[in-house]
Amino acid sequence: LRMMYLLRPWLWATLIVFAISGVSALNQNLSFSHFPLAIYNNQQEILKNSEAQEALKMNIEPSWVSIMKAAPKSLFAGLFQPVIGQGKWFLAIHWVENLLILIMVVFSLVRSQDIPKIHTPGTLMIFFILLMATTFPLASPNFGTLMRYKAIYLPCLFYLSALVPIRYWLHLKQSKT
Protein backbone atom coordinates (compact mmCIF):
# COMPACT_ATOMS: atom_id res chain seq x y z
CA LEU A 1 0.00 0.00 0.00
CA ARG A 2 2.84 2.39 0.86
CA MET A 3 4.49 1.57 -2.47
CA MET A 4 1.29 2.57 -4.34
CA TYR A 5 1.22 5.85 -2.43
CA LEU A 6 4.83 6.57 -3.46
CA LEU A 7 4.12 5.63 -7.10
CA ARG A 8 0.97 7.73 -7.33
CA PRO A 9 2.63 10.89 -8.73
CA TRP A 10 4.40 8.78 -11.35
CA LEU A 11 1.15 7.08 -12.27
CA TRP A 12 -0.53 10.46 -12.76
CA ALA A 13 2.41 11.73 -14.81
CA THR A 14 2.29 8.62 -16.98
CA LEU A 15 -1.46 9.00 -17.45
CA ILE A 16 -1.03 12.63 -18.48
CA VAL A 17 1.72 11.75 -20.99
CA PHE A 18 -0.46 9.03 -22.53
CA ALA A 19 -3.47 11.37 -22.62
CA ILE A 20 -1.46 14.09 -24.39
CA SER A 21 -0.08 11.53 -26.83
CA GLY A 22 -3.56 10.17 -27.52
CA VAL A 23 -5.08 13.60 -28.05
CA SER A 24 -2.14 14.58 -30.24
CA ALA A 25 -2.92 11.67 -32.56
CA LEU A 26 -6.59 12.66 -32.97
CA ASN A 27 -6.12 15.78 -35.08
CA GLN A 28 -3.24 17.45 -36.90
CA ASN A 29 -3.92 20.76 -35.10
CA LEU A 30 -3.48 19.00 -31.76
CA SER A 31 -0.19 17.42 -32.79
CA PHE A 32 2.58 18.52 -30.45
CA SER A 33 4.75 19.80 -33.30
CA HIS A 34 1.89 21.57 -35.12
CA PHE A 35 0.10 23.01 -32.06
CA PRO A 36 1.98 26.37 -31.93
CA LEU A 37 1.22 27.00 -35.60
CA ALA A 38 -2.46 26.14 -35.07
CA ILE A 39 -2.64 28.55 -32.10
CA TYR A 40 -0.91 31.29 -34.12
CA ASN A 41 -3.12 30.85 -37.20
CA ASN A 42 -6.30 30.83 -35.10
CA GLN A 43 -5.21 33.93 -33.20
CA GLN A 44 -4.37 35.82 -36.40
CA GLU A 45 -7.71 34.92 -37.97
CA ILE A 46 -9.67 36.07 -34.91
CA LEU A 47 -7.68 39.31 -34.60
CA LYS A 48 -8.31 40.04 -38.28
CA ASN A 49 -12.08 39.69 -37.71
CA SER A 50 -12.23 41.58 -34.38
CA GLU A 51 -12.39 45.25 -33.57
CA ALA A 52 -9.25 46.57 -31.85
CA GLN A 53 -10.92 47.29 -28.49
CA GLU A 54 -12.58 43.86 -28.39
CA ALA A 55 -9.44 41.73 -28.40
CA LEU A 56 -6.33 41.02 -26.36
CA LYS A 57 -3.01 42.00 -27.87
CA MET A 58 -0.51 39.15 -27.56
CA ASN A 59 2.26 39.16 -30.11
CA ILE A 60 3.10 35.50 -30.51
CA GLU A 61 4.98 33.60 -33.15
CA PRO A 62 4.27 30.00 -34.17
CA SER A 63 6.83 28.52 -31.76
CA TRP A 64 6.76 26.93 -28.33
CA VAL A 65 9.18 29.56 -26.98
CA SER A 66 6.88 32.38 -28.01
CA ILE A 67 3.85 30.63 -26.53
CA MET A 68 5.66 30.03 -23.23
CA LYS A 69 6.69 33.70 -23.09
CA ALA A 70 3.07 34.75 -23.61
CA ALA A 71 1.66 32.15 -21.19
CA PRO A 72 1.67 34.30 -17.99
CA LYS A 73 -0.18 37.16 -19.74
CA SER A 74 -2.53 34.66 -21.30
CA LEU A 75 -3.21 33.00 -17.94
CA PHE A 76 -4.05 36.35 -16.34
CA ALA A 77 -6.32 37.15 -19.28
CA GLY A 78 -8.03 33.77 -19.05
CA LEU A 79 -8.69 34.16 -15.34
CA PHE A 80 -9.46 37.86 -14.90
CA GLN A 81 -10.07 39.66 -18.21
CA PRO A 82 -11.89 41.62 -19.49
CA VAL A 83 -11.35 44.04 -16.63
CA ILE A 84 -13.35 47.20 -16.09
CA GLY A 85 -13.16 49.38 -19.18
CA GLN A 86 -11.90 46.71 -21.57
CA GLY A 87 -14.12 46.03 -24.53
CA LYS A 88 -17.57 47.44 -25.12
CA TRP A 89 -20.15 48.35 -22.47
CA PHE A 90 -22.13 45.11 -22.89
CA LEU A 91 -19.21 43.27 -21.27
CA ALA A 92 -19.98 45.07 -17.98
CA ILE A 93 -21.46 41.91 -16.40
CA HIS A 94 -18.18 40.14 -17.16
CA TRP A 95 -16.22 43.02 -15.63
CA VAL A 96 -18.09 42.49 -12.37
CA GLU A 97 -17.71 38.71 -12.58
CA ASN A 98 -13.95 38.93 -13.16
CA LEU A 99 -13.53 41.54 -10.43
CA LEU A 100 -15.34 39.24 -7.97
CA ILE A 101 -13.13 36.30 -8.91
CA LEU A 102 -10.00 38.46 -8.62
CA ILE A 103 -11.05 39.64 -5.15
CA MET A 104 -11.71 36.06 -4.01
CA VAL A 105 -8.37 34.81 -5.38
CA VAL A 106 -6.43 37.67 -3.73
CA PHE A 107 -8.32 37.10 -0.46
CA SER A 108 -7.48 33.40 -0.64
CA LEU A 109 -3.80 34.13 -1.25
CA VAL A 110 -3.68 36.62 1.64
CA ARG A 111 -5.40 34.11 3.93
CA SER A 112 -3.37 31.19 2.60
CA GLN A 113 -3.27 29.54 6.03
CA ASP A 114 -7.02 28.91 5.60
CA ILE A 115 -6.68 27.08 2.28
CA PRO A 116 -7.97 23.55 2.83
CA LYS A 117 -5.88 20.55 1.82
CA ILE A 118 -6.62 19.89 -1.83
CA HIS A 119 -6.98 16.27 -2.86
CA THR A 120 -6.73 14.70 -6.31
CA PRO A 121 -10.05 16.04 -7.70
CA GLY A 122 -9.12 19.57 -6.62
CA THR A 123 -5.65 19.19 -8.10
CA LEU A 124 -7.16 18.03 -11.38
CA MET A 125 -9.52 21.03 -11.32
CA ILE A 126 -6.58 23.39 -10.80
CA PHE A 127 -4.66 21.75 -13.66
CA PHE A 128 -7.75 21.95 -15.90
CA ILE A 129 -8.33 25.63 -15.07
CA LEU A 130 -4.67 26.56 -15.66
CA LEU A 131 -4.55 24.70 -18.96
CA MET A 132 -7.80 26.17 -20.29
CA ALA A 133 -7.20 29.69 -18.94
CA THR A 134 -3.78 29.76 -20.62
CA THR A 135 -4.71 28.17 -23.95
CA PHE A 136 -8.01 29.88 -24.78
CA PRO A 137 -6.76 33.52 -24.71
CA LEU A 138 -3.80 32.57 -26.88
CA ALA A 139 -5.94 30.85 -29.49
CA SER A 140 -8.97 33.11 -29.28
CA PRO A 141 -8.15 36.63 -28.04
CA ASN A 142 -11.58 38.16 -28.76
CA PHE A 143 -13.34 39.08 -25.47
CA GLY A 144 -16.73 37.74 -26.53
CA THR A 145 -15.32 34.41 -27.62
CA LEU A 146 -13.08 34.25 -24.58
CA MET A 147 -16.05 34.73 -22.25
CA ARG A 148 -17.95 31.93 -24.01
CA TYR A 149 -14.95 29.62 -23.69
CA LYS A 150 -14.47 30.69 -20.08
CA ALA A 151 -17.87 29.20 -19.30
CA ILE A 152 -16.21 25.79 -19.63
CA TYR A 153 -13.97 26.24 -16.59
CA LEU A 154 -15.74 29.07 -14.75
CA PRO A 155 -17.69 26.78 -12.37
CA CYS A 156 -14.45 25.12 -11.23
CA LEU A 157 -12.70 28.49 -10.94
CA PHE A 158 -15.53 30.01 -8.95
CA TYR A 159 -15.75 26.96 -6.66
CA LEU A 160 -12.02 26.92 -5.90
CA SER A 161 -11.72 30.70 -5.51
CA ALA A 162 -14.71 30.79 -3.15
CA LEU A 163 -13.46 28.07 -0.77
CA VAL A 164 -11.40 30.29 1.53
CA PRO A 165 -13.77 33.30 1.63
CA ILE A 166 -16.71 31.03 2.46
CA ARG A 167 -14.74 29.19 5.16
CA TYR A 168 -13.65 32.54 6.59
CA TRP A 169 -17.22 33.87 6.59
CA LEU A 170 -18.50 30.68 8.28
CA HIS A 171 -15.75 30.95 10.89
CA LEU A 172 -16.73 34.56 11.62
CA LYS A 173 -20.38 33.63 11.83
CA GLN A 174 -19.65 30.70 14.16
CA SER A 175 -17.40 32.78 16.44
CA LYS A 176 -20.21 35.35 16.89
CA THR A 177 -22.63 32.71 18.19
Side-chain angles (χ1 to χ4, degrees):
L1 188 63
R2 179 167 167 75
M3 186 63 158
M4 279 302 285
Y5 182 76
L6 293 174
L7 287 176
R8 203 156 103 195
W10 289 103
L11 292 173
W12 278 111
T14 304
L15 178 67
I16 289 170
V17 166
F18 279 117
I20 290 172
S21 299
V23 167
S24 183
L26 291 176
N27 186 316
Q28 178 189 0
N29 286 337
L30 298 176
S31 168
F32 190 76
S33 60
H34 189 267
F35 190 68
L37 181 61
I39 294 273
Y40 176 78
N41 288 340
N42 198 54
Q43 183 191 60
Q44 295 307 309
E45 188 67 30
I46 290 196
L47 286 174
K48 185 172 67 173
N49 295 321
S50 298
E51 292 181 29
Q53 75 268 22
E54 292 182 5
L56 297 166
K57 304 293 183 283
M58 283 188 260
N59 298 322
I60 63 167
E61 298 298 321
S63 72
W64 279 110
V65 172
S66 178
I67 287 176
M68 290 302 137
K69 285 181 181 177
K73 183 178 179 182
S74 179
L75 177 62
F76 181 82
L79 294 175
F80 308 119
Q81 285 187 337
V83 294
I84 296 173
Q86 274 186 321
K88 294 190 176 178
W89 66 268
F90 56 82
L91 291 172
I93 189 76
H94 299 296
W95 299 342
V96 173
E97 171 187 295
N98 290 330
L99 182 62
L100 178 65
I101 289 173
L102 179 63
I103 289 168
M104 289 191 301
V105 168
V106 169
F107 182 84
S108 297
L109 293 174
V110 169
R111 305 254 335 150
S112 60
Q113 73 274 11
D114 293 337
I115 295 176
K117 183 176 180 185
I118 298 176
H119 298 284
T120 304
T123 304
L124 291 176
M125 268 198 278
I126 291 170
F127 179 74
F128 173 73
I129 291 167
L130 293 176
L131 181 67
M132 297 295 109
T134 304
T135 306
F136 288 152
L138 283 171
S140 183
N142 178 282
F143 288 131
T145 308
L146 180 59
M147 293 314 298
R148 286 191 295 277
Y149 286 161
K150 192 174 183 177
I152 296 169
Y153 60 88
L154 186 63
C156 297
L157 176 62
F158 189 79
Y159 171 76
L160 288 175
S161 63
L163 279 176
V164 173
I166 289 173
R167 284 175 59 133
Y168 181 73
W169 178 74
L170 290 173
H171 175 73
L172 286 178
K173 191 174 178 179
Q174 187 179 25
S175 65
K176 287 183 181 178
T177 58

